[in-house]
Amino acid sequence: MGASTTDVVVVGAGLTAAFVAETLRDRGHTGRITLVGEEPHRPYERPPLSKGLLTGATDREALFVHEPAWYPSREVELLLGTTVAAVDRSSRHVVLDDGTRLPYGSLVLATGARPRLLDVPGGPLRGVLQLRRIEDAERLRGALVTATRVAVIGGGWIGLEVAAAARAAGADVTVLHRGGLPLERALGVEMAQVFADLHRDNGVELRPRAEVVGLRGVDAVSGVMLADGSSVSADVVVVGIGVDPCTDLARAAGLAVGGAGTDRGVVVDEHLRTADPHVWAAGDVASTFSPRLGRYRRVEHWENARRQGALAAGSILGDEAIDDRPAYAFSDQYDLGMEYTGDVADPARTRVVVRGDVPGREFVAFWLDGARVVAGMNVNVWDVAGQIEELVVSGREVDAGRLADPAVPLEEI
């Protein structure tokens, strides 16, 4: 059976899966396409969960990748609210939770990631929330209507976006984070300080090096207890301590997972192929080899899900193309909007060069490894992400003085 007619099963029905299906059909694939998802919803985008949906600026319907009629019109079958119990690689079937066996010619694992749980006493109390699915965002949005004190555990992108939404709703907010500054591991001290100042200026209390040992309350949460003996009062606690890739199916099926330098995901090559020629992995769950970087990387951002969905489809159809562009992410907090382009494993090993007004929060920051730009972040400066990407991909050495000079166009660096 040729690549254009083979039955394709995608385990996972998120953004990656939607782009697998769309790309296959756009390129003339005539075989059966089935998306199997645990959630009851057709594929949707997750960034608005901590942004517009949480604040009420975006309604639920705007999240979905396609209209309901798109799937039957393109002969894409959705098996929603359905769990895949196993992958039988020898017979090329996936086994559903009810025992149904679904055959495949090509299988894409797009199982995503799951939030880490806070394993401390009091975790099940009412008012302790996380943010990964539509229902999580709607539950949290409802809680913020009446919340007076919100504690956010975790100082990553999700945690800070939730903190901004909670402040917009009028709650007192405390962010508890393990490091010295929120986002320090992602951005390094200098740029993490920008976001720390932003939140403090908007009335958020930041508690660095905070180790949570328990949650206080009877039926509903009333506070967070810390290892230093102090506590933080809260009637809503949002846990945002990261995610883990959903690799259980792949591991049970005998596919390579994790290992040194692979960031815990399903190991795939630059075409998203596993060692099994009939199985691909894409999106949050995939640890993809990057020829440009000479290492594996696993990227959890929205743009990666879109790119890899399309790439996996092309690979199924026989392409040898790769998408080795730098990772891309964006965030909106208060009046600050930013885009980040690049791949920095350890910001402490780079130096930062800035052009623009850091105190005014209108600038572009560049991370340099030696004289080469490895990442850039534009803050309230727009239409430059493409130029930053070109600098990163080129790998050429740059003059730091010219890089910092706003009078020198980025395309001339």
Side-chain angles (χ1 to χ4, degrees):
M1 192 180 296
S4 63
T5 60
T6 185
D7 290 346
V8 177
V9 173
V10 185
V11 183
L15 185 59
T16 299
F19 272 78
V20 171
E22 180 179 302
T23 305
L24 286 172
R25 287 296 187 237
D26 284 351
R27 295 189 53 184
H29 181 75
T30 59
R32 183 181 181 187
I33 301 174
T34 307
L35 313 186
V36 186
E38 292 183 351
E39 295 187 58
H41 311 293
R42 68 187 189 274
Y44 64 90
E45 303 195 8
R46 296 188 192 275
L49 300 186
S50 60
K51 300 178 177 70
L53 189 67
L54 188 56
T55 63
T58 302
D59 63 28
R60 174 193 272 224
E61 198 58 31
L63 273 63
F64 295 101
V65 183
H66 300 110
E67 295 293 327
W70 185 90
Y71 297 93
S73 73
R74 306 300 289 273
E75 297 184 343
V76 175
E77 183 178 4
L78 296 178
L79 297 181
L80 302 177
T82 302
T83 302
V84 174
V87 174
D88 184 344
R89 290 168 53 208
S90 61
S91 68
R92 278 188 255 162
H93 284 77
V94 297
V95 183
L96 306 184
D97 49 8
D98 64 359
T100 300
R101 295 175 65 84
L102 189 65
Y104 67 83
S106 300
L107 175 67
V108 182
L109 299 176
T111 47
R114 64 175 66 90
R116 293 177 188 148
L117 300 178
L118 184 66
D119 186 17
V120 298
L125 287 167
R126 181 163 45 87
V128 180
L129 306 173
Q130 60 185 25
L131 187 58
R132 184 65 179 177
R133 300 184 173 189
I134 287 178
E135 292 82 3
D136 297 332
E138 292 178 334
R139 191 176 301 115
L140 178 54
R141 184 173 68 188
L144 292 181
V145 171
T146 57
T148 58
R149 299 179 305 277
V150 175
V152 178
I153 302 175
W157 295 111
I158 296 295
L160 294 188
E161 289 174 359
V162 169
R167 284 298 295 143
D172 293 333
V173 179
T174 302
V175 174
L176 306 161
H177 54 100
R178 298 293 296 268
L181 291 167
L183 298 176
E184 185 174 334
R185 289 181 61 185
L187 302 180
V189 172
E190 186 175 349
M191 287 297 108
Q193 188 65 57
V194 171
F195 288 88
D197 292 343
L198 171 70
H199 281 269
R200 289 194 180 104
D201 289 350
N202 281 277
V204 174
E205 180 185 0
L206 301 179
R207 296 285 295 270
R209 300 183 178 84
E211 181 181 351
V212 175
V213 296
L215 302 177
R216 187 177 65 236
V218 181
D219 296 318
V221 70
S222 61
V224 182
M225 297 177 289
L226 304 179
D228 64 5
S230 66
S231 64
V232 175
S233 296
D235 43 25
V236 171
V237 173
V238 184
V239 179
I241 54 176
V243 299
D244 292 311
C246 297
T247 58
D248 299 355
L249 270 180
R251 193 183 301 276
L255 296 167
V257 173
T262 57
D263 199 13
R264 302 170 294 128
V266 179
V267 178
V268 294
D269 66 12
E270 59 268 38
H271 310 289
L272 305 183
R273 297 177 298 214
T274 69
D276 183 324
H278 302 285
V279 183
W280 286 255
D284 291 3
V285 76
S287 286
T288 309
F289 184 74
S290 165
R292 178 174 58 86
L293 299 173
R295 59 176 172 84
Y296 288 88
R297 60 174 180 168
R298 190 176 65 81
V299 180
E300 296 171 358
H301 299 299
W302 163 85
E303 181 65 15
N304 185 66
R306 295 164 57 95
R307 292 176 181 176
Q308 291 204 339
L311 182 63
S315 187
I316 288 169
L317 295 175
D319 289 355
E320 289 299 313
I322 65 173
D323 187 339
D324 204 14
R325 286 175 288 176
Y328 170 87
F330 67 96
S331 184
D332 298 305
Q333 301 169 36
Y334 311 107
D335 59 353
L336 183 150
M338 81 91 196
E339 297 174 290
Y340 176 94
T341 305
D343 303 278
V344 178
D346 182 3
R349 295 179 178 272
T350 64
R351 63 172 175 140
V352 176
V353 173
V354 178
R355 65 162 58 195
D357 180 7
V358 174
R361 300 186 183 117
E362 190 171 327
F363 64 91
V364 183
F366 302 92
W367 283 261
L368 273 66
D369 182 356
R372 293 179 172 84
V373 176
V374 292
M377 179 176 69
N378 46 299
V379 173
N380 290 336
V381 175
W382 306 109
D383 300 323
V384 295
Q387 295 165 323
I388 293 171
E389 180 178 296
E390 195 281 327
L391 276 173
V392 173
V393 170
S394 74
R396 64 178 178 270
E397 295 190 349
V398 301
D399 180 279
R402 287 171 57 80
L403 192 63
D405 186 352
V408 180
L410 284 178
E411 58 268 24
E412 295 182 9
I413 298 295

PDB file of all heavy atoms in Angstrom, residues 295-307:
ATOM      1  N   ARG A 295      22.153  17.984  18.421  1.00  0.00           N
ATOM      2  CA  ARG A 295      21.631  17.338  19.625  1.00  0.00           C
ATOM      3  C   ARG A 295      20.114  17.176  19.495  1.00  0.00           C
ATOM      4  O   ARG A 295      19.502  17.700  18.568  1.00  0.00           O
ATOM      5  CB  ARG A 295      21.947  18.166  20.872  1.00  0.00           C
ATOM      6  CG  ARG A 295      21.379  19.576  20.864  1.00  0.00           C
ATOM      7  CD  ARG A 295      21.651  20.288  22.178  1.00  0.00           C
ATOM      8  NE  ARG A 295      21.293  21.703  22.165  1.00  0.00           N
ATOM      9  CZ  ARG A 295      20.074  22.185  22.388  1.00  0.00           C
ATOM     10  NH1 ARG A 295      19.065  21.334  22.645  1.00  0.00           N
ATOM     11  NH2 ARG A 295      19.834  23.492  22.366  1.00  0.00           N
ATOM     12  N   TYR A 296      19.557  16.422  20.428  1.00  0.00           N
ATOM     13  CA  TYR A 296      18.106  16.285  20.480  1.00  0.00           C
ATOM     14  C   TYR A 296      17.509  17.478  21.229  1.00  0.00           C
ATOM     15  O   TYR A 296      18.139  18.060  22.109  1.00  0.00           O
ATOM     16  CB  TYR A 296      17.712  14.991  21.189  1.00  0.00           C
ATOM     17  CG  TYR A 296      17.992  13.750  20.377  1.00  0.00           C
ATOM     18  CD1 TYR A 296      19.234  13.123  20.437  1.00  0.00           C
ATOM     19  CD2 TYR A 296      17.015  13.218  19.539  1.00  0.00           C
ATOM     20  CE1 TYR A 296      19.500  11.990  19.682  1.00  0.00           C
ATOM     21  CE2 TYR A 296      17.266  12.080  18.781  1.00  0.00           C
ATOM     22  CZ  TYR A 296      18.507  11.475  18.858  1.00  0.00           C
ATOM     23  OH  TYR A 296      18.758  10.360  18.107  1.00  0.00           O
ATOM     24  N   ARG A 297      16.283  17.778  20.875  1.00  0.00           N
ATOM     25  CA  ARG A 297      15.565  18.824  21.611  1.00  0.00           C
ATOM     26  C   ARG A 297      14.085  18.450  21.651  1.00  0.00           C
ATOM     27  O   ARG A 297      13.548  17.865  20.704  1.00  0.00           O
ATOM     28  CB  ARG A 297      15.749  20.203  20.977  1.00  0.00           C
ATOM     29  CG  ARG A 297      15.250  20.311  19.550  1.00  0.00           C
ATOM     30  CD  ARG A 297      15.324  21.724  19.006  1.00  0.00           C
ATOM     31  NE  ARG A 297      14.846  21.784  17.630  1.00  0.00           N
ATOM     32  CZ  ARG A 297      14.583  22.909  16.976  1.00  0.00           C
ATOM     33  NH1 ARG A 297      14.776  24.074  17.566  1.00  0.00           N
ATOM     34  NH2 ARG A 297      14.144  22.879  15.740  1.00  0.00           N
ATOM     35  N   ARG A 298      13.442  18.797  22.737  1.00  0.00           N
ATOM     36  CA  ARG A 298      11.996  18.596  22.875  1.00  0.00           C
ATOM     37  C   ARG A 298      11.385  19.951  23.176  1.00  0.00           C
ATOM     38  O   ARG A 298      11.753  20.609  24.147  1.00  0.00           O
ATOM     39  CB  ARG A 298      11.683  17.600  23.998  1.00  0.00           C
ATOM     40  CG  ARG A 298      10.213  17.174  24.022  1.00  0.00           C
ATOM     41  CD  ARG A 298       9.963  16.115  25.086  1.00  0.00           C
ATOM     42  NE  ARG A 298      10.194  16.646  26.415  1.00  0.00           N
ATOM     43  CZ  ARG A 298       9.316  17.375  27.100  1.00  0.00           C
ATOM     44  NH1 ARG A 298       8.136  17.679  26.562  1.00  0.00           N
ATOM     45  NH2 ARG A 298       9.606  17.824  28.299  1.00  0.00           N
ATOM     46  N   VAL A 299      10.466  20.383  22.338  1.00  0.00           N
ATOM     47  CA  VAL A 299       9.912  21.733  22.419  1.00  0.00           C
ATOM     48  C   VAL A 299       8.422  21.631  22.722  1.00  0.00           C
ATOM     49  O   VAL A 299       7.689  20.899  22.051  1.00  0.00           O
ATOM     50  CB  VAL A 299      10.135  22.501  21.101  1.00  0.00           C
ATOM     51  CG1 VAL A 299       9.549  23.904  21.195  1.00  0.00           C
ATOM     52  CG2 VAL A 299      11.625  22.561  20.771  1.00  0.00           C
ATOM     53  N   GLU A 300       7.966  22.390  23.724  1.00  0.00           N
ATOM     54  CA  GLU A 300       6.581  22.289  24.173  1.00  0.00           C
ATOM     55  C   GLU A 300       5.685  23.419  23.674  1.00  0.00           C
ATOM     56  O   GLU A 300       4.533  23.507  24.083  1.00  0.00           O
ATOM     57  CB  GLU A 300       6.543  22.254  25.704  1.00  0.00           C
ATOM     58  CG  GLU A 300       7.217  21.034  26.307  1.00  0.00           C
ATOM     59  CD  GLU A 300       7.371  21.118  27.805  1.00  0.00           C
ATOM     60  OE1 GLU A 300       6.982  22.155  28.389  1.00  0.00           O
ATOM     61  OE2 GLU A 300       7.891  20.158  28.397  1.00  0.00           O
ATOM     62  N   HIS A 301       6.180  24.252  22.773  1.00  0.00           N
ATOM     63  CA  HIS A 301       5.425  25.440  22.397  1.00  0.00           C
ATOM     64  C   HIS A 301       4.489  25.201  21.214  1.00  0.00           C
ATOM     65  O   HIS A 301       4.666  24.281  20.417  1.00  0.00           O
ATOM     66  CB  HIS A 301       6.387  26.589  22.093  1.00  0.00           C
ATOM     67  CG  HIS A 301       7.227  26.985  23.259  1.00  0.00           C
ATOM     68  ND1 HIS A 301       6.686  27.442  24.425  1.00  0.00           N
ATOM     69  CD2 HIS A 301       8.576  26.958  23.444  1.00  0.00           C
ATOM     70  CE1 HIS A 301       7.664  27.703  25.288  1.00  0.00           C
ATOM     71  NE2 HIS A 301       8.809  27.419  24.718  1.00  0.00           N
ATOM     72  N   TRP A 302       3.517  26.098  21.096  1.00  0.00           N
ATOM     73  CA  TRP A 302       2.456  26.057  20.091  1.00  0.00           C
ATOM     74  C   TRP A 302       2.977  25.944  18.672  1.00  0.00           C
ATOM     75  O   TRP A 302       2.498  25.120  17.885  1.00  0.00           O
ATOM     76  CB  TRP A 302       1.623  27.332  20.286  1.00  0.00           C
ATOM     77  CG  TRP A 302       0.720  27.752  19.189  1.00  0.00           C
ATOM     78  CD1 TRP A 302      -0.558  27.323  18.972  1.00  0.00           C
ATOM     79  CD2 TRP A 302       0.988  28.736  18.176  1.00  0.00           C
ATOM     80  NE1 TRP A 302      -1.106  27.965  17.882  1.00  0.00           N
ATOM     81  CE2 TRP A 302      -0.177  28.842  17.387  1.00  0.00           C
ATOM     82  CE3 TRP A 302       2.092  29.530  17.880  1.00  0.00           C
ATOM     83  CZ2 TRP A 302      -0.257  29.713  16.302  1.00  0.00           C
ATOM     84  CZ3 TRP A 302       2.015  30.401  16.801  1.00  0.00           C
ATOM     85  CH2 TRP A 302       0.846  30.480  16.036  1.00  0.00           C
ATOM     86  N   GLU A 303       3.945  26.740  18.306  1.00  0.00           N
ATOM     87  CA  GLU A 303       4.437  26.746  16.938  1.00  0.00           C
ATOM     88  C   GLU A 303       5.077  25.410  16.580  1.00  0.00           C
ATOM     89  O   GLU A 303       4.961  24.937  15.442  1.00  0.00           O
ATOM     90  CB  GLU A 303       5.443  27.883  16.727  1.00  0.00           C
ATOM     91  CG  GLU A 303       6.011  27.992  15.320  1.00  0.00           C
ATOM     92  CD  GLU A 303       4.970  28.350  14.269  1.00  0.00           C
ATOM     93  OE1 GLU A 303       3.855  28.792  14.629  1.00  0.00           O
ATOM     94  OE2 GLU A 303       5.275  28.178  13.077  1.00  0.00           O
ATOM     95  N   ASN A 304       5.737  24.785  17.542  1.00  0.00           N
ATOM     96  CA  ASN A 304       6.347  23.484  17.287  1.00  0.00           C
ATOM     97  C   ASN A 304       5.283  22.441  16.969  1.00  0.00           C
ATOM     98  O   ASN A 304       5.487  21.576  16.112  1.00  0.00           O
ATOM     99  CB  ASN A 304       7.166  23.044  18.496  1.00  0.00           C
ATOM    100  CG  ASN A 304       7.918  21.750  18.244  1.00  0.00           C
ATOM    101  OD1 ASN A 304       8.821  21.702  17.425  1.00  0.00           O
ATOM    102  ND2 ASN A 304       7.533  20.695  18.948  1.00  0.00           N
ATOM    103  N   ALA A 305       4.153  22.494  17.665  1.00  0.00           N
ATOM    104  CA  ALA A 305       3.070  21.543  17.391  1.00  0.00           C
ATOM    105  C   ALA A 305       2.581  21.681  15.956  1.00  0.00           C
ATOM    106  O   ALA A 305       2.338  20.690  15.253  1.00  0.00           O
ATOM    107  CB  ALA A 305       1.921  21.768  18.368  1.00  0.00           C
ATOM    108  N   ARG A 306       2.425  22.894  15.486  1.00  0.00           N
ATOM    109  CA  ARG A 306       1.981  23.145  14.111  1.00  0.00           C
ATOM    110  C   ARG A 306       3.019  22.651  13.114  1.00  0.00           C
ATOM    111  O   ARG A 306       2.700  21.926  12.156  1.00  0.00           O
ATOM    112  CB  ARG A 306       1.741  24.640  13.908  1.00  0.00           C
ATOM    113  CG  ARG A 306       0.604  25.209  14.736  1.00  0.00           C
ATOM    114  CD  ARG A 306       0.665  26.737  14.803  1.00  0.00           C
ATOM    115  NE  ARG A 306       0.651  27.355  13.495  1.00  0.00           N
ATOM    116  CZ  ARG A 306      -0.446  27.798  12.886  1.00  0.00           C
ATOM    117  NH1 ARG A 306      -1.633  27.666  13.472  1.00  0.00           N
ATOM    118  NH2 ARG A 306      -0.387  28.352  11.702  1.00  0.00           N
ATOM    119  N   ARG A 307       4.261  23.042  13.334  1.00  0.00           N
ATOM    120  CA  ARG A 307       5.322  22.667  12.403  1.00  0.00           C
ATOM    121  C   ARG A 307       5.479  21.153  12.318  1.00  0.00           C
ATOM    122  O   ARG A 307       5.602  20.580  11.229  1.00  0.00           O
ATOM    123  CB  ARG A 307       6.648  23.288  12.848  1.00  0.00           C
ATOM    124  CG  ARG A 307       6.737  24.793  12.741  1.00  0.00           C
ATOM    125  CD  ARG A 307       8.070  25.256  13.322  1.00  0.00           C
ATOM    126  NE  ARG A 307       8.230  26.694  13.290  1.00  0.00           N
ATOM    127  CZ  ARG A 307       9.281  27.326  13.806  1.00  0.00           C
ATOM    128  NH1 ARG A 307      10.252  26.642  14.388  1.00  0.00           N
ATOM    129  NH2 ARG A 307       9.367  28.648  13.730  1.00  0.00           N
TER     130      ARG A 307
END
